[in-house]
Amino acid sequence: MKIPPLLRKLLLLDIIQGLSITFKHQRQADVITEQYPLERPEIAERYRGYPHLKVDPTTGETLCIGCGMCAAACPEKLIGVESERDPETKKKKMTAFQYDMSRCMFCGLCQEACPTDCLELTREYEIALYDRKGMQLNRERLESDPDRTEYLR
Amino acid sequence: MRPITEYLHSNLTPGESGDLLWIFVYVVVIFLGISLAVLLMNWLERKILAHMQIRLGPMRVGPHGLLQSIADALKLLIKEDVIPSQADKIVFWFAPIIVVMTAFTLFLVVPFGRTHAVTDMNIGILFMLGVSSLGVLGVIMGGWSSNSHYPLLGSLRSSAQMVSYEIAMGLAIVSAILMTSVASGTGTLSMIGIVESQYQQHRWFAFQFFPLGLVALLVFAVAMVAETNRAPFDLPEAESELVAGFMTEYSGFRWSLFFLAEYASMIAVSSIAVTLWLGGWLRPFPNALSGAGWDGAFSFVPALTFVGFGGLCIYSASRMPKVRGMKLQSGGLAAFGMLLGAIGLLMCAPALRARVQDVYWFVFKVSIFMYLYIWYRGTFPRYRFDQLMKVGWKVLLPIALAVLILTALVGVRQELFSVVAEAVR
């Protein structure tokens, strides 16, 4: 049934309709807010978080070949790779790796550039720190699994 | 002991009986009660508004964020109180005090029950109108003395808005006052007298001369939202345009005074609406369902409400997440529920039951209006300034005037008919 506009105005029908919508929204079941420290959020598989350098699980040696492609791909120039040529095998070997996470925007270009899939941005998301110094990641820090501290409260 | 027992048997407000001790007690109790209600209202507003927007609202401070408003109040009190160097210091200092004083002075005549008012002034409603319009003075002073653009613009908007809506509000009130003379022949301006005449006429003024009373209530309900500068009429403090309006330069304690005054005056105008149209402290159907049996049944309602809320608290405490960090919170909520339940059980005591009832029904009706305030805020977008003026002058004022004239005509219809019959003869 169509109600004429004048009658709608006089009976405040539109106002009542608006009020009823907000009233219905008060159902607690509709709330989708995440209670973060109490509930762990679901992290997408391709989430780009804390950087990590992969290690070959069988030999324990790094997968990095020191090519420096990641450093070249980084738009912020925050990756520094030092390498030297092994005199015997004539292969390049990574000696030091610097990653400045304080300037990182987690674009993932380094991850895409890596030919050996060594550097990856993991699903670890709790990377807030009290100090900027902790943001300078060296090789040891990158190769170790990011130690996740369980949030207590 | 004597003054206490003597008072408990009296049927007068302390102001009428000239009992200084009880006047003092009432003033303190009302001041504390209103302040507590403002804290509660702050929490409820944030919670209900959040739920309307499909959020959770405060959840961290105390169980379900129950202590959030207390934490905020503490934060405001210990915050640095800045006075701008270019501000007019004396006026700046006085503005929040004036606003708070007017907001709390209103409660002198608000009848929470037949004996539960500070005093029964024979010009009660006139007093309320007069004092409530003083509040705009504080707003203008605050805006002007800040010596800044946003506060000045905010206070200009506010003064225009409050002045123009006061007219529609006043006319709606006059039509209700006219109704007080229907049965007895003489009207009254006393707040207690208005409620009593509703009792004598066997109906609330909202349903007197249907639909005139209801329309007057609607006009008042719109005007009172505009009068207290609340959404959708919150132009004086439109966040997106004016930062915080006339309160922009205020901080800390002074700002919290403005905040307190805003909510207190919301409660005050809601209680005017309840007194004039919704039967004040009268319980539902005091005439149709009269007699000792019904009185006894209704007197258990306040106690039941408290027990019900206590049960709700304990139920939701049991539903809280079973995490180590939440143990204290769910325990606290359960304890709070038990406290409410204990108060409810205490209220079953016959002496308390009889005296608490008036206050309960009054607060119940006022809280419906307070919920409406939040509901409006969650629903309606803000009016533009010209729309605001249009609604005030071109819609509400004519309606209120028409209702007033029609009420007067319907009220004297007997006399009118006899005069016309005389003339015809």
Side-chain angles (χ1 to χ4, degrees):
Chain A
M1 193 187 72
K2 207 155 182 288
I3 304 165
L6 183 68
L7 204 63
R8 283 189 81 86
K9 245 183 204 173
L10 279 179
L11 296 177
L12 308 175
L13 284 184
D14 296 328
I15 285 178
I16 290 166
Q17 194 185 356
L19 286 172
S20 72
I21 286 174
T22 41
F23 190 78
K24 278 179 210 144
H25 275 319
Q26 287 182 93
R27 271 159 41 90
Q28 280 282 297
D30 290 348
V31 173
I32 52 165
T33 312
E34 205 166 64
Q35 288 284 290
Y36 159 58
L38 297 175
E39 300 167 358
R40 310 306 302 186
E42 270 182 38
I43 299 299
E45 212 158 298
R46 296 177 63 181
Y47 184 87
R48 299 192 293 265
Y50 198 92
H52 180 57
L53 283 179
K54 268 189 225 151
V55 174
D56 190 338
T58 49
T59 58
E61 272 182 38
T62 178
L63 289 174
C64 182
I65 50 171
C67 63
M69 295 272 271
C70 47
C74 182
E76 279 293 325
K77 305 274 177 278
L78 55 82
I79 303 177
V81 189
E82 277 171 38
S83 57
E84 61 183 25
R85 200 165 287 278
D86 194 325
E88 288 168 29
T89 56
K90 301 274 195 273
K91 272 185 182 171
K92 238 185 175 184
K93 217 175 142 200
M94 186 254 286
T95 52
F97 202 95
Q98 272 297 322
Y99 193 104
D100 182 2
M101 206 171 55
S102 64
R103 277 153 59 205
C104 184
M105 58 175 156
F106 303 101
C107 62
L109 289 177
C110 50
Q111 182 183 9
E112 280 169 29
C114 187
T116 55
D117 286 344
C118 173
L119 181 65
E120 68 163 346
L121 298 179
T122 58
R123 294 165 73 189
E124 179 60 44
Y125 55 91
E126 288 179 323
I127 51 181
L129 289 171
Y130 284 107
D131 200 331
R132 280 191 191 193
K133 280 178 200 142
M135 297 268 186
Q136 310 293 337
L137 308 177
N138 55 15
R139 183 178 173 177
E140 286 77 51
R141 191 83 179 78
L142 284 164
E143 281 183 351
S144 66
D145 269 336
D147 48 347
R148 164 188 283 197
T149 46
E150 199 62 46
Y151 202 89
L152 289 180
R153 251 190 75 86
Chain B
M1 244 357 247
R2 246 195 78 241
I4 296 172
T5 49
E6 213 168 73
Y7 169 73
L8 284 178
H9 296 291
S10 95
N11 283 321
L12 294 172
T13 57
E16 283 169 286
S17 54
D19 195 334
L20 269 179
L21 171 75
W22 278 98
I23 290 177
F24 182 73
V25 168
Y26 267 46
V27 168
V28 169
V29 165
I30 287 177
F31 181 77
L32 290 181
I34 298 296
S35 306
L36 203 68
V38 170
L39 280 183
L40 191 69
M41 178 69 189
N42 180 23
W43 179 75
L44 277 177
E45 174 159 28
R46 290 161 74 168
K47 259 336 227 192
I48 294 174
L49 209 59
H51 291 164
M52 283 177 176
Q53 297 164 350
I54 325 184
R55 294 184 287 120
L56 283 169
M59 285 296 272
R60 291 277 134 209
V61 191
H64 282 269
L66 261 174
L67 303 176
Q68 181 71 52
S69 47
I70 295 171
D72 282 351
L74 277 178
K75 183 212 91 175
L76 278 173
L77 293 186
I78 58 175
K79 225 173 123 172
E80 188 189 356
D81 188 8
V82 182
I83 298 182
S85 61
Q86 299 295 308
D88 188 330
K89 299 223 169 39
I90 298 169
V91 183
F92 191 84
W93 190 77
F94 257 112
I97 294 178
I98 286 186
V99 174
V100 167
M101 292 281 275
T102 53
F104 277 97
T105 311
L106 288 174
F107 289 97
L108 275 185
V109 289
V110 170
F112 294 95
R114 175 60 192 89
T115 56
H116 300 112
V118 176
T119 185
D120 178 22
M121 229 180 264
N122 56 4
I123 51 158
I125 185 69
L126 208 60
F127 175 81
M128 282 202 93
L129 271 181
V131 173
S132 73
S133 53
L134 276 181
V136 72
L137 193 67
V139 170
I140 294 174
M141 280 167 72
W144 179 78
S145 67
S146 299
N147 203 355
S148 167
H149 299 296
Y150 289 140
L152 187 63
L153 280 174
S155 70
L156 283 179
R157 282 183 179 190
S158 170
S159 54
Q161 172 180 341
M162 284 165 114
V163 166
S164 51
Y165 274 82
E166 216 148 65
I167 298 170
M169 197 170 163
L171 286 175
I173 287 177
V174 171
S175 79
I177 293 169
L178 280 185
M179 287 173 184
T180 57
S181 63
V182 166
S184 56
T186 49
T188 175
L189 287 172
S190 142
M191 299 287 269
I192 287 177
I194 288 167
V195 177
E196 277 180 340
S197 69
Q198 293 181 54
Y199 180 72
Q200 279 150 19
Q201 291 177 31
H202 290 218
R203 63 172 57 119
W204 295 352
F205 284 160
F207 305 113
Q208 183 71 286
F209 299 154
F210 189 83
L212 289 179
L214 209 58
V215 174
L217 173 60
L218 269 179
V219 168
F220 186 88
V222 175
M224 88 187 188
V225 177
E227 186 72 14
T228 46
N229 298 331
R230 289 281 301 180
F233 303 104
D234 56 346
L235 283 101
E237 44 205 292
E239 289 94 352
S240 45
E241 311 151 26
L242 292 180
V243 189
F246 58 90
M247 296 196 258
T248 306
E249 301 293 342
Y250 283 88
S251 57
F253 187 61
R254 278 169 232 278
W255 186 85
S256 66
L257 284 184
F258 270 122
F259 186 82
L260 188 68
E262 182 186 328
Y263 282 80
S265 62
M266 274 160 66
I267 298 174
V269 287
S270 305
S271 51
I272 296 182
V274 166
T275 313
L276 284 179
W277 283 282
L278 297 181
W281 68 79
L282 299 175
R283 67 173 168 79
F285 311 110
N287 302 104
L289 305 179
S290 61
W294 282 108
D295 276 344
F298 270 106
S299 68
F300 276 106
V301 173
L304 276 182
T305 315
F306 269 87
V307 171
F309 273 123
L312 193 70
C313 281
I314 292 169
Y315 171 67
S316 50
S318 72
R319 276 185 54 207
M320 273 175 130
K322 302 274 179 293
V323 192
R324 212 184 66 196
M326 291 297 267
K327 243 181 199 150
L328 188 71
Q329 297 218 342
S330 20
L333 191 59
F336 184 65
M338 276 177 220
L339 181 73
L340 285 183
I343 293 175
L345 289 182
L346 198 69
M347 274 186 183
C348 289
L352 218 53
R353 220 162 64 198
R355 292 202 81 79
V356 148
Q357 215 196 348
D358 291 350
V359 181
Y360 171 79
W361 285 111
F362 190 86
V363 170
F364 177 76
K365 289 168 189 175
V366 168
S367 55
I368 290 175
F369 274 95
M370 302 316 272
Y371 180 77
L372 278 177
Y373 268 117
I374 303 170
W375 198 0
Y376 294 156
R377 190 175 163 193
T379 308
F380 301 130
R382 190 180 299 125
Y383 273 95
R384 213 168 53 209
F385 193 68
D386 61 317
Q387 291 170 335
L388 175 93
M389 285 295 147
K390 195 178 143 198
V391 169
W393 290 101
K394 288 188 177 172
V395 180
L396 288 187
L397 182 62
I399 292 177
L401 210 55
V403 167
L404 174 59
I405 293 170
L406 284 176
T407 312
L409 285 178
V410 176
V412 293
R413 61 187 185 280
Q414 306 282 323
E415 289 84 345
L416 265 184
F417 288 149
S418 61
V419 166
V420 170
E422 198 90 343
V424 168
R425 199 181 302 139

